[in-house]
Amino acid sequence: MCDYPKPIVTVDTVVLTLADGGLNVVLVRRDKEPFPGAQALPGGFVRIGEDRDAGAAARRILAEKAGIATGFLEQLYTFSGPVRDPRGWSVSIAHYFLVRREDLPAEDRFALVPIDRLPELPFDHRAIIAKAVERVRSKASYTTLPIHLMPETFTLEELRACYEAVLGRPLDRSSFRQKMLASGFVVLALGERKGQHRPAQLYRAASPIGDFGRVIG
Amino acid sequence: MCDYPKPIVTVDTVVLTLADGGLNVVLVRRDKEPFPGAQALPGGFVRIGEDRDAGAAARRILAEKAGIATGFLEQLYTFSGPVRDPRGWSVSIAHYFLVRREDLPAEDRFALVPIDRLPELPFDHRAIIAKAVERVRSKASYTTLPIHLMPETFTLEELRACYEAVLGRPLDRSSFRQKMLASGFVVLALGERKGQHRPAQLYRAASPIGDFGRVIG
DNA sequence: ATAATAGTGTCTTTTAGACATTATATT
DNA sequence: AATATAATGTCTAAAAGACACTATTAT
């Protein structure tokens, strides 16, 4: 059997959440070579004795490096080549997470950075983040994916604000409500949200949905 | 630096083409362990001294194993885990190719198999093919991707037949023509196709398009 | 002339978007 | 009462789909 020298196999994770009205990404401070001290995506080696697959490795690594143990996970893209990592020919199976802001632990092990205010990043982490944002934007335009960023219950105005933050453009309230309710993936919950003025109905994702990345419209 | 034992890193390729009015996939006969003699997807190890990235590895491997050196290429998904390959914890960076039927070499090094008549397949190759077909179907419903399966020039009826074969459902002729021409990605070519009856205008992909996976509609 | 295929036109339904209007709370 | 926000309604434009009709060739 041809046993060629093997590439390094890592997993990088792009955790996206909604903060201050925009998409933010989780960055951690690297403590090892290469680029010790630099801010970067949480990432690490696949452990063949431990991980069931790349997705499981992503969850393990994210918990280890940032203490984040919840969220919707999807494989993003696999980046590879001889130059992206100074340790040699490498493969990074990138994954993205959508996490509710209130499910994030205290920010003592990571930083939340708006996606349009990224610092210098090592490896090809900027390209990985760009791809994740592009994927989520794209899916937001025709699926219920952004609901993963919302709490248990929410008003339709809050949901629309979430979509607008992800997509980066305003959406018509009337069309949005109609499409979202017609989809059947968002249903009335008990109670209302008291605010400054007329209270808004609370909604929740239709039980048992499981997969919010459903196509609507 | 933590130097964990590394997984095997391979690339598998799903070559799709149109034959006998339906989607077909290229299968080769394996000549090595594991599963020698079995029909399988063309696949092989990434060579870190040779390949610029996983996509380049896919092109190299497809040329080596099946003699196919042309076609549209896109990364599909990365399959991984301890059981999918008997040699151990493995990563397969799967890619799919869309190749014109007439660009395929003689079928002496591979077989063309309709996607609904797959034989027993080793590894998780059946799941990989399913994912490729799903991806192409999905993209066909809103992009110009299937044009990669067409020859230089084609009639709109031929193009529609191609879309119908990929999607597996009939499309309205009128709407199809209108949408396709309005997209601007398909333009008139010189000449017509003589047939049994009224000849049809020839069209071609709009020059310099490069990426046929464009969103239309 | 007839058959077969290419190509166009018409009508209906659906959808999205812009925008106006009504509803209900707080102050 | 004034105001701010929630929720709904109306109108228009665009798109999709069903289907009928016309056009052009071979036989």
Side-chain angles (χ1 to χ4, degrees):
Chain A
M1 171 171 89
C2 339
D3 217 342
Y4 297 100
K6 294 172 182 168
I8 296 165
V9 179
T10 64
V11 165
D12 284 310
T13 64
V14 182
V15 178
L16 296 174
T17 194
L18 226 43
D20 304 322
L23 274 181
N24 285 52
V25 62
V26 164
L27 297 180
V28 295
R29 192 68 64 178
R30 288 185 62 82
D31 56 353
K32 298 191 202 122
E33 288 289 346
F35 309 111
Q39 278 193 304
L41 293 175
F45 290 97
V46 167
R47 292 194 196 151
I48 68 175
E50 203 169 329
D51 300 321
R52 222 190 43 227
D53 57 21
R59 284 207 185 276
R60 173 184 59 76
I61 287 166
L62 184 60
E64 286 175 4
K65 306 261 165 150
I68 300 170
T70 61
F72 168 82
L73 162 67
E74 190 171 75
Q75 187 180 307
L76 176 62
Y77 191 80
T78 297
F79 297 81
S80 60
V83 299
R84 52 174 302 284
D85 188 314
R87 290 167 292 192
W89 215 106
S90 65
V91 168
S92 171
I93 310 170
H95 291 70
Y96 74 90
F97 288 77
L98 298 185
V99 185
R100 299 174 187 165
R101 180 63 209 275
E102 63 269 26
D103 284 353
L104 285 177
E107 292 176 43
D108 48 359
R109 300 179 59 190
F110 60 85
L112 272 187
V113 180
I115 56 166
D116 50 0
R117 303 237 202 304
L118 295 176
E120 281 284 308
L121 291 173
F123 309 104
D124 48 0
H125 283 188
R126 182 173 294 267
I128 296 178
I129 294 171
K131 190 124 188 163
V133 171
E134 177 196 8
R135 172 80 58 90
V136 173
R137 284 232 167 99
S138 163
K139 286 208 168 185
S141 62
Y142 64 97
T143 73
T144 53
L145 196 67
I147 299 182
H148 283 108
L149 298 168
M150 302 299 291
E152 251 339 288
T153 60
F154 46 83
T155 72
L156 284 179
E157 290 297 302
E158 289 165 350
L159 183 59
R160 185 171 64 89
C162 167
Y163 269 80
E164 290 184 341
V166 171
L167 292 171
R169 60 183 168 87
L171 295 175
D172 181 76
R173 297 200 312 169
S174 178
S175 323
F176 181 81
R177 295 176 74 91
Q178 186 168 354
K179 199 157 59 168
M180 199 54 65
L181 294 178
S183 80
F185 295 122
V186 169
V187 297
L188 256 182
L190 293 178
E192 5 181 79
R193 166 94 74 245
K194 303 281 184 190
Q196 304 301 71
H197 296 281
R198 175 175 175 175
Q201 281 288 344
L202 286 177
Y203 291 82
R204 58 177 176 75
S207 56
I209 184 171
D211 173 18
F212 291 157
R214 297 294 289 276
V215 175
I216 60 175
Chain B
M1 171 171 92
C2 339
D3 217 341
Y4 297 100
K6 294 172 182 168
I8 295 165
V9 179
T10 64
V11 165
D12 284 310
T13 64
V14 182
V15 178
L16 296 174
T17 194
L18 226 43
D20 305 320
L23 273 181
N24 284 53
V25 63
V26 164
L27 297 180
V28 295
R29 192 66 67 176
R30 289 185 62 84
D31 56 354
K32 296 189 200 122
E33 288 289 344
F35 311 112
Q39 279 193 305
L41 293 175
F45 290 98
V46 167
R47 293 194 196 150
I48 67 176
E50 202 169 329
D51 300 320
R52 223 190 42 228
D53 56 23
R59 284 207 184 276
R60 172 182 61 74
I61 287 166
L62 184 60
E64 285 176 5
K65 306 260 164 152
I68 300 170
T70 60
F72 168 82
L73 163 66
E74 190 170 75
Q75 187 180 307
L76 176 61
Y77 191 79
T78 297
F79 297 82
S80 60
V83 299
R84 51 174 305 281
D85 189 315
R87 290 167 292 192
W89 216 104
S90 65
V91 168
S92 170
I93 310 169
H95 291 70
Y96 75 90
F97 289 77
L98 298 185
V99 184
R100 301 174 185 163
R101 179 65 207 274
E102 63 270 28
D103 285 353
L104 285 177
E107 292 176 43
D108 48 0
R109 300 179 59 190
F110 61 85
L112 272 186
V113 180
I115 56 165
D116 50 2
R117 303 237 202 305
L118 295 176
E120 281 283 309
L121 291 172
F123 308 104
D124 48 1
H125 284 188
R126 183 173 293 265
I128 296 177
I129 293 170
K131 190 124 187 162
V133 170
E134 179 196 8
R135 171 80 59 89
V136 172
R137 283 232 166 99
S138 163
K139 286 208 168 186
S141 63
Y142 64 99
T143 73
T144 54
L145 196 68
I147 299 183
H148 283 108
L149 297 168
M150 302 299 291
E152 246 347 284
T153 60
F154 46 84
T155 72
L156 283 179
E157 290 298 301
E158 289 165 350
L159 182 59
R160 185 171 63 90
C162 167
Y163 269 80
E164 289 184 342
V166 170
L167 292 171
R169 61 183 167 88
L171 295 174
D172 181 75
R173 298 198 312 166
S174 179
S175 322
F176 181 81
R177 297 176 73 91
Q178 186 168 353
K179 198 158 60 167
M180 200 52 67
L181 294 178
S183 80
F185 294 123
V186 169
V187 298
L188 256 182
L190 293 177
E192 8 181 75
R193 162 125 330 141
K194 304 283 185 190
Q196 305 300 67
H197 297 281
R198 174 175 175 176
Q201 281 287 345
L202 286 178
Y203 291 81
R204 59 178 174 75
S207 53
I209 185 173
D211 172 18
F212 290 158
R214 298 294 289 275
V215 175
I216 60 176

